[in-house]
mmCIF file of all heavy atoms in Angstrom:
data_model
loop_
_atom_site.group_PDB
_atom_site.id
_atom_site.type_symbol
_atom_site.label_atom_id
_atom_site.label_comp_id
_atom_site.label_asym_id
_atom_site.label_seq_id
_atom_site.Cartn_x
_atom_site.Cartn_y
_atom_site.Cartn_z
ATOM 1 N N LEU A 17 -69.641 -74.926 60.295
ATOM 2 C CA LEU A 17 -70.334 -75.696 61.338
ATOM 3 C C LEU A 17 -71.678 -76.274 60.839
ATOM 4 O O LEU A 17 -72.053 -77.438 61.083
ATOM 5 C CB LEU A 17 -70.601 -74.811 62.497
ATOM 6 C CG LEU A 17 -69.393 -74.498 63.441
ATOM 7 C CD1 LEU A 17 -69.735 -73.451 64.459
ATOM 8 C CD2 LEU A 17 -69.015 -75.792 64.175
ATOM 9 N N ARG A 20 -71.323 -79.410 58.511
ATOM 10 C CA ARG A 20 -71.029 -80.710 59.134
ATOM 11 C C ARG A 20 -72.164 -81.192 60.037
ATOM 12 O O ARG A 20 -72.138 -82.230 60.613
ATOM 13 C CB ARG A 20 -69.768 -80.522 60.039
ATOM 14 C CG ARG A 20 -68.546 -80.349 59.186
ATOM 15 C CD ARG A 20 -67.354 -80.655 59.927
ATOM 16 N NE ARG A 20 -67.366 -82.053 60.344
ATOM 17 C CZ ARG A 20 -66.692 -82.528 61.349
ATOM 18 N NH1 ARG A 20 -65.873 -81.714 61.981
ATOM 19 N NH2 ARG A 20 -66.747 -83.789 61.675
ATOM 20 N N GLN A 23 -72.882 -80.854 65.245
ATOM 21 C CA GLN A 23 -71.841 -81.251 66.228
ATOM 22 C C GLN A 23 -70.967 -79.944 66.434
ATOM 23 O O GLN A 23 -70.522 -79.278 65.514
ATOM 24 C CB GLN A 23 -71.003 -82.275 65.553
ATOM 25 C CG GLN A 23 -69.887 -82.823 66.437
ATOM 26 C CD GLN A 23 -69.106 -83.799 65.727
ATOM 27 O OE1 GLN A 23 -69.298 -84.155 64.528
ATOM 28 N NE2 GLN A 23 -68.116 -84.478 66.468
ATOM 29 N N ILE A 24 -70.634 -79.754 67.728
ATOM 30 C CA ILE A 24 -69.864 -78.556 68.087
ATOM 31 C C ILE A 24 -68.399 -78.954 68.304
ATOM 32 O O ILE A 24 -67.640 -78.211 68.807
ATOM 33 C CB ILE A 24 -70.487 -77.939 69.435
ATOM 34 C CG1 ILE A 24 -71.892 -77.550 69.192
ATOM 35 C CG2 ILE A 24 -69.723 -76.757 69.816
ATOM 36 C CD1 ILE A 24 -72.106 -76.477 68.174
ATOM 37 N N SER A 25 -67.947 -80.119 67.911
ATOM 38 C CA SER A 25 -66.492 -80.420 68.060
ATOM 39 C C SER A 25 -66.005 -80.578 66.599
ATOM 40 O O SER A 25 -66.726 -80.807 65.698
ATOM 41 C CB SER A 25 -66.311 -81.703 68.830
ATOM 42 O OG SER A 25 -66.899 -82.763 68.126
ATOM 43 N N GLY A 26 -64.758 -80.374 66.485
ATOM 44 C CA GLY A 26 -64.087 -80.446 65.211
ATOM 45 C C GLY A 26 -63.220 -79.323 64.873
ATOM 46 O O GLY A 26 -63.038 -78.392 65.715
ATOM 47 N N PRO A 27 -62.620 -79.319 63.700
ATOM 48 C CA PRO A 27 -61.700 -78.253 63.416
ATOM 49 C C PRO A 27 -62.303 -76.901 63.278
ATOM 50 O O PRO A 27 -61.646 -75.919 63.578
ATOM 51 C CB PRO A 27 -61.077 -78.683 62.060
ATOM 52 C CG PRO A 27 -61.946 -79.747 61.540
ATOM 53 C CD PRO A 27 -62.678 -80.320 62.662
ATOM 54 N N TRP A 28 -63.573 -76.823 62.930
ATOM 55 C CA TRP A 28 -64.229 -75.507 62.695
ATOM 56 C C TRP A 28 -64.409 -74.877 64.118
ATOM 57 O O TRP A 28 -64.424 -73.642 64.194
ATOM 58 C CB TRP A 28 -65.550 -75.680 62.015
ATOM 59 C CG TRP A 28 -65.306 -76.007 60.566
ATOM 60 C CD1 TRP A 28 -65.505 -77.267 60.081
ATOM 61 C CD2 TRP A 28 -64.868 -75.225 59.532
ATOM 62 N NE1 TRP A 28 -65.175 -77.298 58.692
ATOM 63 C CE2 TRP A 28 -64.723 -76.053 58.402
ATOM 64 C CE3 TRP A 28 -64.523 -73.886 59.471
ATOM 65 C CZ2 TRP A 28 -64.326 -75.511 57.189
ATOM 66 C CZ3 TRP A 28 -64.097 -73.435 58.243
ATOM 67 C CH2 TRP A 28 -64.007 -74.220 57.119
ATOM 68 N N TRP A 29 -64.717 -75.642 65.132
ATOM 69 C CA TRP A 29 -64.937 -75.133 66.476
ATOM 70 C C TRP A 29 -63.638 -74.422 66.951
ATOM 71 O O TRP A 29 -63.676 -73.414 67.691
ATOM 72 C CB TRP A 29 -65.324 -76.226 67.388
ATOM 73 C CG TRP A 29 -65.509 -75.819 68.801
ATOM 74 C CD1 TRP A 29 -64.842 -76.133 69.897
ATOM 75 C CD2 TRP A 29 -66.464 -74.800 69.289
ATOM 76 N NE1 TRP A 29 -65.242 -75.471 71.029
ATOM 77 C CE2 TRP A 29 -66.273 -74.622 70.651
ATOM 78 C CE3 TRP A 29 -67.479 -74.111 68.650
ATOM 79 C CZ2 TRP A 29 -67.006 -73.793 71.398
ATOM 80 C CZ3 TRP A 29 -68.210 -73.261 69.495
ATOM 81 C CH2 TRP A 29 -68.036 -73.116 70.833
ATOM 82 N N PHE A 30 -62.445 -74.958 66.598
ATOM 83 C CA PHE A 30 -61.220 -74.365 67.083
ATOM 84 C C PHE A 30 -61.004 -72.946 66.462
ATOM 85 O O PHE A 30 -60.363 -72.081 67.087
ATOM 86 C CB PHE A 30 -60.039 -75.194 66.717
ATOM 87 C CG PHE A 30 -59.979 -76.489 67.556
ATOM 88 C CD1 PHE A 30 -60.174 -77.700 67.014
ATOM 89 C CD2 PHE A 30 -59.648 -76.334 68.906
ATOM 90 C CE1 PHE A 30 -60.078 -78.849 67.753
ATOM 91 C CE2 PHE A 30 -59.610 -77.502 69.680
ATOM 92 C CZ PHE A 30 -59.866 -78.759 69.124
ATOM 93 N N LEU A 31 -61.531 -72.719 65.284
ATOM 94 C CA LEU A 31 -61.491 -71.415 64.656
ATOM 95 C C LEU A 31 -62.324 -70.388 65.416
ATOM 96 O O LEU A 31 -61.976 -69.210 65.520
ATOM 97 C CB LEU A 31 -61.884 -71.464 63.218
ATOM 98 C CG LEU A 31 -60.907 -72.253 62.346
ATOM 99 C CD1 LEU A 31 -61.503 -72.319 60.881
ATOM 100 C CD2 LEU A 31 -59.504 -71.635 62.201
#
Side-chain angles (χ1 to χ4, degrees):
L17 285 172
R20 292 200 60 202
Q23 183 180 7
I24 301 293
S25 65
W28 293 102
W29 178 246
F30 288 112
L31 295 176

